[in-house]
């Protein structure tokens, strides 16, 4: 049985079907971001470890999730990123939804090789916005 890492990345099924390497890219990014946040001392208090769940969505699934959370206290980072705290979890969990915009989707369809770079930049930017919000060191 393996322990859940503080940062996890999930990808919607539509993106998995469209981009066959997206899961392996996200697995590598998950490991990298967990290491970087650990070295940036995000988890100094072992009694209250912050968990961040990153959900990568299509533009349409992003809108559906955003509407579903209309009653929650949502933090909007940009037009394509929002987050909220999941209070049902034992530890403090921040769920972040990130949309692959239509223009990004078009670029990825034309050039599959930019997938890893685009996701790295986009997810790192979101994690640094979270760090700023929570007064943690950026990665």
């Amino acid at each position: 049985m393996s322990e859940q890492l503080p940062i996890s990345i999930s990808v919607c099924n539509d993106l998995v079907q469209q981009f066959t390497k997206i899961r392996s890219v996200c697995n590598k990014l998950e490991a990298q971001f967990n290491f970087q946040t650990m070295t940036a001392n995000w988890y100094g208090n072992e009694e209250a470890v912050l968990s961040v769940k990153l959900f990568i969505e299509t533009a349409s699934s992003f809108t559906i999730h955003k509407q579903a959370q209309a009653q929650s206290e949502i933090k909007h980072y940009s037009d394509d990123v929002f987050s909220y705290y999941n209070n049902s979890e034992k530890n403090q969990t921040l769920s972040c939804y990130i949309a692959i915009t239509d223009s990004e989707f078009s670029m990825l369809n034309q050039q599959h090789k930019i997938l890893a770079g685009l996701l790295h930049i986009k997810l790192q930017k979101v994690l640094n916005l979270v760090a700023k919000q929570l007064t943690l060191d950026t990665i």
Side-chain angles (χ1 to χ4, degrees):
M1 193 160 110
S2 63
E3 193 172 319
Q4 179 67 34
L5 293 172
I7 295 176
S8 63
I9 302 171
S10 298
V11 183
C12 76
N13 287 334
D14 290 343
L15 291 172
V16 170
Q17 290 174 1
Q18 186 73 27
F19 306 106
T20 56
K21 294 185 179 185
I22 197 166
R23 277 215 173 114
S24 65
V25 167
C26 287
N27 287 339
K28 289 176 187 172
L29 289 173
E30 190 175 280
Q32 179 181 352
F33 291 142
N34 275 289
F35 178 75
Q36 288 175 327
T37 54
M38 182 187 67
T39 58
N41 199 28
W42 279 32
Y43 316 112
N45 181 359
E46 291 183 17
E47 298 299 317
V49 173
L50 169 69
S51 293
V52 180
K53 293 182 178 181
L54 301 172
F55 297 93
I56 303 171
E57 303 289 336
T58 63
S60 60
S61 64
F62 175 83
T63 302
I64 292 167
H65 286 290
K66 193 172 181 179
Q67 291 170 347
Q69 296 305 322
Q71 301 302 318
S72 301
E73 189 173 322
I74 294 175
K75 168 77 174 166
H76 294 274
Y77 297 104
S78 64
D79 290 344
D80 60 346
V81 180
F82 76 90
S83 70
Y84 65 93
Y85 282 99
N86 187 344
N87 295 325
S88 66
E89 303 276 332
K90 186 171 77 172
N91 288 329
Q92 185 180 14
T93 301
L94 183 66
S95 295
C96 296
Y97 285 84
I98 302 123
I100 300 297
T101 64
D102 291 335
S103 60
E104 291 168 339
F105 193 78
S106 294
M107 279 191 327
L108 289 171
N109 275 325
Q110 293 171 8
Q111 301 177 17
H112 286 276
K113 291 181 181 182
I114 66 169
L115 177 68
L118 177 87
L119 288 177
H120 181 268
I121 290 167
K122 195 164 180 116
L123 296 178
Q124 185 171 12
K125 183 178 179 181
V126 170
L127 288 172
N128 282 330
L129 290 170
V130 168
K132 184 178 178 183
Q133 174 189 347
L134 301 174
T135 62
L136 298 168
D137 291 339
T138 58
I139 56 172

